[in-house]
Amino acid sequence: MQQFAALLRKDQQPVRYLVVDDSVFARKNLIKMIELFGGEVAGEAGDGLTAIAEYNRSKPDIVLMDITMPQMEGIEAVERIVRQHGDARIVMVSSVGYQENILAALQKGAKHFVQKPVKPEVLYEILRYVLGDDPNAAAVPVALAGEHQI
Amino acid sequence: MRMELIQPFINAADAVFAESLQAPTKIVDLTMDENIYRRKGVAALITIKGDIEGRVILDLAPEVAMRVAGHLAGSPMPESEQVVRETVCELANMVIGNSVTLLNDQGFRFKVFPPEIHMSEEGLGGNAETEAMVLCIETPCGQVYLNIAMHYLHRRRREQAAVPALD
């Protein structure tokens, strides 16, 4: 049983997330955590190309992006999204966490990196950190999201 | 068999299942195997090539994969071969990802090939010379098998170079 204070935007609206992963159940796992943090799913994508289209459509506050995906990998998608939207906030979520991978993602414009399997408390702290840098988002949690079991 | 190359995979598998399922896991069986691997359920084979080489097979029954998927998704998933494949792939990626992170940060350079899913009855990955460690991990969702065969490339090169001298 874990409780998290809701992470909200400065306008008190839920933070909107785009979840990108080629595995359906990996996306569901992340969505479960997003809901635990009081967030809202703006969109989902199973590859980098769809992620770019979904970003343009939904304009999320945060993107959770896998690296290894069909058609277009996550790091290339990050580069393209950031080129178009300099203020995009993208957190890489990948099984492979070695330094070169992390550096490549950060160099292309990702804000942070979390390794799978994702621990909710780790992702929560990373989101707090990334949102703290966002003028539209509250830097600190402002409300309790309620009790959830994960 | 070099345990320093095997241990990261064992640790990663144990940690990935324990963390993903939020429950303790236990290694219930550990054996050495020199035969071609015969899968027990749906198997993901991952090949590694570079300073260190070999292959890792993650193998679990479809019903175990479905239970893991349901646990991770937060609700039962509709039963399908696609979900089983995805689950085995994702689990294999997590195990490999966590173990190669450690090996990579130790200075080894190698390429990890994407998981190949095997559902047919044929043998997997290797020949009679492939010495592998096979372990069975007991999880709350059922048993998971891991078959690991790894060696240093430079050792293999030395061994190959030694052959003409013996002729």
Side-chain angles (χ1 to χ4, degrees):
Chain A
M1 192 82 74
Q2 283 179 280
Q3 274 189 315
F4 294 92
L7 295 168
L8 298 179
R9 293 164 48 103
K10 278 205 173 129
D11 59 8
Q12 297 299 299
Q13 294 302 304
V15 176
R16 298 170 67 253
Y17 297 84
L18 171 59
V19 183
V20 186
D21 198 303
D22 57 334
S23 159
V24 176
F25 85 84
R27 293 204 299 269
K28 281 181 179 284
N29 189 31
L30 287 172
I31 289 169
K32 194 172 68 172
M33 291 183 208
I34 286 168
E35 289 167 352
L36 200 59
F37 305 155
E40 193 174 88
V41 180
E44 294 182 44
D47 61 78
L49 275 178
T50 313
I52 295 167
E54 272 297 296
Y55 189 98
N56 291 330
R57 183 193 67 77
S58 64
K59 300 287 193 296
D61 299 305
I62 296 274
V63 182
L64 300 177
M65 177 85 76
D66 187 19
I67 290 185
T68 309
M69 291 184 292
Q71 292 195 66
M72 184 191 290
E73 294 218 340
I75 292 176
E76 187 180 348
V78 169
E79 184 179 21
R80 292 205 192 183
I81 290 172
V82 171
R83 198 186 301 149
Q84 276 185 288
H85 310 275
D87 57 347
R89 282 171 164 73
I90 305 174
V91 175
M92 306 308 290
V93 182
S94 177
S95 305
V96 183
Y98 52 78
Q99 290 165 7
E100 288 166 4
N101 233 0
I102 297 171
L103 278 177
L106 296 177
Q107 280 167 355
K108 300 295 182 191
K111 299 291 182 195
H112 223 294
F113 187 97
V114 59
Q115 190 168 15
K116 291 180 183 176
V118 180
K119 293 179 182 168
E121 62 274 20
V122 173
L123 180 61
Y124 183 78
E125 287 306 319
I126 287 172
L127 292 172
R128 274 187 67 179
Y129 174 80
V130 172
L131 287 166
D133 191 31
D134 184 344
N136 291 320
V140 291
V142 293
L144 272 181
E147 287 188 359
H148 297 269
Q149 188 167 16
I150 60 166
Chain B
M1 180 65 62
R2 305 301 296 254
M3 277 312 290
E4 69 271 25
L5 295 183
I6 303 289
Q7 198 64 48
F9 294 96
I10 298 174
N11 294 348
D14 200 29
V16 162
F17 282 100
E19 282 170 19
S20 300
L21 302 174
Q22 298 282 295
T25 58
K26 195 165 76 174
I27 296 172
V28 291
D29 194 20
L30 192 67
T31 53
M32 299 299 293
D33 190 2
E34 290 188 3
N35 298 313
I36 290 173
Y37 186 69
R38 300 278 167 195
R39 67 171 184 84
K40 295 165 179 66
V42 178
L45 182 148
I46 294 179
T47 304
I48 294 167
K49 286 189 175 172
D51 295 347
I52 53 176
E53 291 196 348
R55 57 108 178 95
V56 178
I57 300 166
L58 183 79
D59 184 1
L60 51 159
E63 55 272 23
V64 176
M66 288 305 304
R67 283 198 285 270
V68 173
H71 185 95
L72 289 176
S75 58
M77 299 280 289
E79 196 161 342
S80 73
E81 190 182 299
Q82 178 64 20
V83 173
V84 170
R85 282 172 169 270
E86 260 189 28
T87 305
V88 177
C89 243
E90 186 70 11
L91 290 171
N93 276 328
M94 282 196 274
V95 171
I96 296 298
N98 281 262
S99 39
V100 301
T101 296
L102 183 64
L103 291 165
N104 195 275
D105 288 342
Q106 284 173 7
F108 294 114
R109 291 292 170 263
F110 48 85
K111 183 169 170 55
V112 179
F113 290 81
E116 291 170 24
I117 294 292
H118 292 260
M119 300 177 90
S120 67
E121 289 303 325
E122 62 198 44
L124 284 178
N127 50 48
E129 292 175 6
T130 305
E131 185 189 33
M133 179 166 280
V134 185
L135 59 140
C136 173
I137 303 172
E138 185 81 49
T139 79
C141 294
Q143 292 186 328
V144 175
Y145 296 88
L146 197 65
N147 179 300
I148 312 157
M150 293 294 299
H151 58 255
Y152 292 105
L153 179 62
H154 65 253
R155 190 183 66 160
R156 198 185 68 173
R157 281 180 178 152
R158 237 190 359 249
E159 285 166 357
Q160 283 171 346
V163 171
L166 295 172
D167 285 342

